[in-house]
Amino acid sequence: MSIWVGHGHHDRDDDHDHHDGEPDSNVMWVQDNVVLHSVGVDIGSATTQIAFSRLHLRRHAADLTSRYIVVRRELVHDGGTRLTPYADGNLIDAVALGTMLDEAYASSGWTADDIDTGAVILTGEALRRANAELIGKVVAQRAGQLVCATAGHHMEALLAAYGSGTVRRSHDEASVLLNVDIGGGTTKLTLVERGRVVGTAAFLVGGRLAVVDDGVLVRLEPGGARHAAAAGFTWELGGAVSPAELVHVGEVMAKAVADAIAGKPDLYLTDLLPLPDAVDGVVVSGGVSAYLHGRETQSYGDLGPALADGLRRRFSEGSLPGPLLAGEEAIRATVVGASEHTVQLSGITGHLSDPEASLPRRDLPVAHLDDAVGDEVDEVAVADGVRGAFAGRDIGPDQEAVLAVTWGAGAPRYPRVAALARGLVAGLGDRAAAGRTVYLMLDGDVAMTLGRILTEELGVEAALVVLDGIQLREFDHVDLGRVRPISGNVPITIKSLAFTHGRD
């Protein structure tokens, strides 16, 4: 479940059973513990999933900060996986989605007022719908104070790899794994080496690109027509389609999956994903994987079962780059998760050129520049890393976002900071132009120096918010408050997407 966490409650009666035996009258305990109610809604091209959770967070005492970590996750109610409703062939049915939410809330026993926070995420081909933005807003309004987000191809690939457990498994085994997430409209690839995501991609293969009801084609995506044509069929909405035709098209699609992974570019929606010579295993997630692993047997009139059968044969023949491995989640890979709520204060050495215009801000996505700032800073590597960080999060050039920089343990020498500044300017490109705001956050204590070099020496005209002492990571969003009087700190609420493993 994807959750964006805000404030929590300490005064609910139903929190009293989750305090590990600590008395509610213990003021110190109450200050250090937070219980949150949250809901996640994932609207995909094929299915919609809703889940309700209770999260217990505790102040991380080891470093004596106000950072909280999740110490227990409880799936209070699984709202189930349902077919995404469509009003016609192109528009998602907002009314039907609202009804689905109402039913899920009624069965959970919670109301929108009970929810601290949550997320509505649109993924896959659902993003292509003409009313996608409206759908997110409508659902968020019906469900409570939720953040509405969209996951582009790269982001969805990352979510799937984390949610399926592929990243954790790669880390634990020090292995190279390929996560193949096959949804209703697209297939996402994520290459993970020793627990680190090194590449993502997507191509046009999905289990619900065509749907048949009583032998009649009732849904046909452009990609479905394309695969049918490759199989020698001319499909049209309302036309007759036999079970044998579905099987044959599914077989053609399975071959297309193997060919795309091998490097054939025809169906790619992104750049190709080059693979190393050796891959230790392939984890398949997404709706089609439920058939591939035998977790689902019921047919819904789509291409999923036939595609899974074709993939199973290709794994047995060795046509794919590694053996098939079972993931921890199948269809729920992109929606399984928990949340970590952190509130930090920036250091006092920040650089803010126009705080009145730049603060406060809510829900800024974080692009993370990692491993590009060594003892000797490579300006070209920094520039490439900046561009890759924004592209990897599907953050467009006109979208406000935070660039998080891992400074590392090196000394804050002027040549090192100046080289970083030059690399940042090259990577930011038009983002550093006048009329915009550049948000930079570093874990090291160099914000003031970096800000002065950017403005006074390199002539950056954009408003700058450069803050230090902040630890950010993949999938974070942040809220920035106004500058606090006297201290000059900026309050920062960090809303992180983390992942559980299994259904705890």
Side-chain angles (χ1 to χ4, degrees), residues 74 116 136 145 162 201 257 282 366 368 417 436 492:
E74 179 186 359
D116 293 306
Q145 297 300 314
Y162 276 90
V257 170
V282 178
V366 174
H368 205 286
V417 181
R436 299 169 181 254
I492 302 167

Side-chain angles (χ1 to χ4, degrees), residues 53-403:
S53 293
R54 182 182 289 113
L55 309 173
H56 183 177
L57 298 91
R58 184 171 296 157
R59 190 190 303 270
H60 194 260
D63 51 12
L64 300 178
T65 69
S66 56
R67 183 179 181 88
Y68 288 80
I69 60 173
V70 177
V71 295
R72 182 168 58 249
R73 311 163 177 88
E74 179 186 359
L75 180 63
V76 175
H77 179 71
D78 185 350
T81 299
R82 314 180 189 199
L83 295 178
T84 299
Y86 288 86
D88 57 34
N90 294 311
L91 299 179
I92 296 174
D93 191 332
V95 175
L97 275 175
T99 300
M100 289 169 59
L101 277 172
D102 291 342
E103 293 172 351
Y105 270 81
S107 60
S108 73
W110 289 1
T111 68
D113 291 338
D114 294 321
I115 302 301
D116 293 306
T117 189
V120 179
I121 293 185
L122 279 79
T123 59
E125 289 292 284
L127 286 174
R128 297 178 56 246
R129 304 297 164 181
N131 62 339
E133 183 176 359
L134 174 62
I135 287 295
K137 291 179 179 179
V138 168
V139 174
Q141 290 169 358
R142 292 286 289 270
Q145 297 300 314
L146 307 187
V147 174
C148 178
T150 58
H153 298 308
H154 295 292
M155 182 67 171
E156 192 178 357
L158 284 168
L159 294 178
Y162 276 90
S164 67
T166 300
V167 173
R168 185 176 71 122
R169 181 170 186 167
S170 171
H171 175 272
D172 293 346
E173 299 176 351
S175 59
V176 178
L177 300 178
L178 178 67
N179 195 88
V180 182
D181 186 77
I182 309 175
T186 58
T187 295
K188 282 73 60 181
L189 304 179
T190 308
L191 181 63
V192 188
E193 296 182 356
R194 298 177 179 270
R196 182 175 177 80
V197 174
V198 297
T200 56
F203 55 86
L204 191 60
V205 170
R208 287 186 68 82
L209 290 174
V211 179
V212 175
D213 186 11
D214 289 332
V216 177
L217 194 63
V218 296
R219 177 178 170 189
L220 181 64
E221 303 288 346
R226 180 173 178 175
H227 289 297
F233 304 119
T234 302
W235 282 357
E236 294 181 356
L237 277 176
V241 172
S242 68
E245 287 180 78
L246 283 177
V247 169
H248 187 40
V249 174
E251 180 68 24
V252 168
M253 292 171 68
K255 182 178 185 301
V257 170
D259 289 344
I261 292 174
K264 187 176 180 180
D266 300 25
L267 297 174
Y268 269 83
L269 303 168
T270 64
D271 291 338
L272 287 169
L273 177 63
L275 297 182
D277 294 336
V279 172
D280 297 311
V282 178
V283 178
V284 180
S285 60
V288 172
S289 74
Y291 294 103
L292 184 62
H293 294 295
R295 298 169 183 167
E296 178 64 81
T297 57
Q298 181 178 350
S299 174
Y300 295 93
D302 57 30
L303 294 158
L307 175 54
D309 287 343
L311 287 172
R312 191 179 296 110
R313 282 190 289 275
R314 276 159 180 76
F315 272 109
S316 65
E317 296 167 357
S319 306
L320 290 158
L324 174 64
L325 303 177
E328 294 172 350
E329 290 289 342
I331 191 170
R332 291 166 54 88
T334 59
V335 79
V336 168
S339 305
E340 182 171 315
H341 171 248
T342 65
V343 178
Q344 298 185 31
L345 285 176
S346 68
I348 61 175
T349 58
H351 177 94
L352 295 90
S353 60
D354 191 355
E356 291 297 323
S358 304
L359 300 172
R361 287 293 189 276
R362 288 183 55 81
D363 300 317
L364 294 177
V366 174
H368 205 286
L369 175 65
D370 199 6
D371 293 342
V373 184
D375 288 337
E376 299 297 329
V377 177
D378 184 334
E379 298 174 26
V380 174
V382 169
D384 290 343
V386 170
R387 288 186 284 265
F390 284 115
R393 284 295 308 269
D394 297 300
I395 298 172
D398 295 324
Q399 183 180 359
E400 284 192 337
V402 169
L403 178 65

Side-chain angles (χ1 to χ4, degrees), residues 349-353 369 373 377 382 386 403-407 412-425 428 438-460 462 464-468:
T349 58
H351 177 94
L352 295 90
S353 60
L369 175 65
V373 184
V377 177
V382 169
V386 170
L403 178 65
V405 180
T406 300
W407 175 252
R413 296 176 290 107
Y414 172 82
R416 189 175 182 227
V417 181
L420 171 61
R422 291 190 293 270
L424 290 174
V425 170
L428 289 168
V438 172
Y439 297 90
L440 299 172
M441 297 190 187
L442 306 96
D443 56 353
D445 188 17
V446 295
M448 182 178 292
T449 302
L450 178 61
R452 287 178 175 174
I453 293 174
L454 288 170
T455 54
E456 297 174 10
E457 298 184 19
L458 299 181
V460 171
L464 288 177
V465 175
V466 189
L467 305 175
D468 53 22

